[in-house]
Amino acid sequence: MVNYKNIVVAVDGSKEAEYAFKKAIDFAKQNDDAKLHLVNVIDTRSFAAIEAYDRSIAEKAQAFSEELLEGYKKQAEEAGVKNVNVIIEYGSPKTIITKELSKLVDADLIVCGATGLNAVERFLIGSVSEAIVRSAKCDVLVVRTPEN
């Protein structure tokens, strides 16, 4: 069995991300000394236009992200994961997760949901999970929900 030390799971509040998170907990528990990195990337492209009308949108996105990650961190710790790290990044999830974050935390496994929240972007330029599979330098586990 492969021993993973740094497991990154991308979460965005979707049902798919929830399944990926639960699977990542399983991997972290199987690899006793593994560090579980919970990441939420605030996609700045999606609220650039809105910010012209609502200056507080970035603050709201940050608050949502913090609350989301703290909830997941608590669940992971209660499930027995000893080493949990939360990371909030800004930018394109495709670029941040594969190019920047995975290097920063020396990821050897990235876990993500099969689809996320943004159906329009998925149609136009492909899903985040697809981009991760294509460009990650480490193992990638794409988790499907039971309905997929």
Side-chain angles (χ1 to χ4, degrees):
M1 185 174 121
V2 177
N3 191 19
Y4 295 111
K5 300 247 183 265
N6 285 292
I7 301 165
V8 171
V9 62
V11 294
D12 61 5
S14 67
K15 190 170 48 174
E16 291 81 5
E18 179 81 21
Y19 279 94
F21 167 70
K22 289 181 173 149
K23 195 72 79 168
I25 285 177
D26 292 342
F27 273 97
K29 285 167 61 177
Q30 288 169 14
N31 297 270
D32 260 351
D33 55 348
K35 189 170 200 173
L36 181 61
H37 303 274
L38 307 173
V39 63
N40 177 250
V41 180
I42 298 170
D43 193 340
T44 49
R45 298 164 309 159
S46 63
F47 62 69
I50 301 166
E51 202 160 47
Y53 302 101
D54 184 356
R55 290 269 175 233
S56 65
I57 194 78
E59 291 162 19
K60 289 174 184 166
Q62 176 81 22
F64 170 81
S65 191
E66 286 170 6
E67 194 175 311
L68 180 76
L69 290 173
E70 282 310 311
Y72 279 133
K73 180 178 182 179
K74 188 172 185 250
Q75 283 182 58
E77 289 170 344
E78 286 170 358
V81 180
K82 296 174 192 80
N83 205 340
V84 184
N85 182 29
V86 296
I87 302 165
I88 298 171
E89 289 287 348
Y90 287 83
S92 164
K94 294 176 185 182
T95 307
I96 298 287
I97 294 167
T98 56
K99 293 190 173 69
E100 297 173 31
L101 187 69
S102 57
K103 283 184 196 136
L104 181 72
V105 301
D106 197 23
D108 43 24
L109 176 64
I110 299 173
V111 184
C112 59
T115 58
L117 291 176
N118 197 335
V120 174
E121 182 179 79
R122 206 165 47 245
F123 174 74
L124 294 173
I125 51 179
S127 71
V128 172
S129 54
E130 188 183 333
I132 293 170
V133 168
R134 269 200 317 269
S135 57
K137 303 281 188 256
C138 63
D139 290 352
V140 177
L141 175 64
V142 179
V143 179
R144 297 202 173 279
T145 57
E147 301 86 52
N148 286 351

